[in-house]
Amino acid sequence: MTEARRHRRHIDRHGRGLLGPISRPSKFAPRGLPLQRSLAASFDEVVAIEVTRLEKRLPQVVARVEFAIEDVPNLDLDATEIPLTHATGGTSHEPYRIVVFRRPIELRAERSGSSLSWLVRSALVLELADVLALSPEQIDPDFDTGED
C-alpha cells in the first residue's frame, strides 16, 4: 500500500510537473537546473542544432533567413494536408521567414518511428531549397529523403 501511495505522489497531474521531494532543489538538482525538460524545450533545442548545422554549411544563405517555431499551423477548414513548415517574406525589405511547426513534426516522428532530428533536418532542407530555388542536395549534400 505504501508503494502505491508513494508512486501516486510523483505523478504529473494537470501538467504541473513532478510532485514530491525530487521536484524541489537539492544537492542532486540545484536551483536553476531543470529536473525534466519539457517537450517544447527539447524540440527547440533540436531545431537550434539543425539550424546551426545548416548555418555552418551555408552561412551566406542562412543569414538571409529568419527561423521561428510555432506549436501548430493556422489552417483553413478545407485544408487537406498539415504542413511541417511554412515560409514567408523574401522581399527586398524583409528576409525570408521559415516557421517550423512543432506538433505536426512530433506526431509524424512518433507515428513513423523516425528520428525527430532527421525529420526536422529534412523539413528545414526542403523548405530552404524551395524558398531559395535550389535542390535539397545543394543545401545539404548529405540530404536523404529516407525513401528506399
Side-chain angles (χ1 to χ4, degrees), residues 71-128:
D71 283 340
V72 293
N74 188 8
L75 297 175
D76 295 331
L77 293 177
D78 58 345
T80 57
E81 292 185 11
I82 299 173
L84 303 180
T85 59
H86 177 70
T88 58
T91 64
S92 59
H93 308 319
E94 78 182 304
Y96 290 107
R97 183 168 200 256
I98 295 178
V99 179
V100 179
F101 299 114
R102 181 177 68 86
R103 290 299 295 151
I105 290 178
E106 286 176 342
L107 291 172
R108 191 164 297 168
E110 285 176 10
R111 187 178 62 220
S112 67
S114 62
S115 166
L116 182 66
S117 61
W118 177 85
L119 198 53
V120 168
R121 178 183 307 149
S122 297
L124 286 172
V125 168
L126 289 172
E127 193 66 49
L128 270 173

Side-chain angles (χ1 to χ4, degrees), residues 1-106:
M1 181 72 172
T2 58
E3 183 66 33
R5 209 180 267 160
R6 193 176 327 142
H7 176 67
R8 205 175 322 143
R9 199 171 49 159
H10 296 288
I11 294 175
D12 181 6
R13 292 202 176 124
H14 308 291
R16 291 187 223 142
L18 289 173
L19 303 176
I22 195 166
S23 64
R24 296 185 196 105
S26 68
K27 65 180 179 181
F28 299 111
R31 189 170 302 284
L33 180 67
L35 291 174
Q36 182 179 5
R37 294 172 45 103
S38 69
L39 289 176
S42 298
F43 185 83
D44 292 353
E45 184 178 343
V46 169
V47 172
I49 289 169
E50 294 304 325
V51 168
T52 302
R53 193 179 73 73
L54 288 170
E55 192 172 39
K56 286 179 183 176
R57 181 161 283 166
L58 296 167
Q60 70 282 3
V61 171
V62 177
R64 301 183 335 202
V65 180
E66 196 177 275
F67 295 90
I69 300 171
E70 290 183 13
D71 283 340
V72 293
N74 188 8
L75 297 175
D76 295 331
L77 293 177
D78 58 345
T80 57
E81 292 185 11
I82 299 173
L84 303 180
T85 59
H86 177 70
T88 58
T91 64
S92 59
H93 308 319
E94 78 182 304
Y96 290 107
R97 183 168 200 256
I98 295 178
V99 179
V100 179
F101 299 114
R102 181 177 68 86
R103 290 299 295 151
I105 290 178
E106 286 176 342

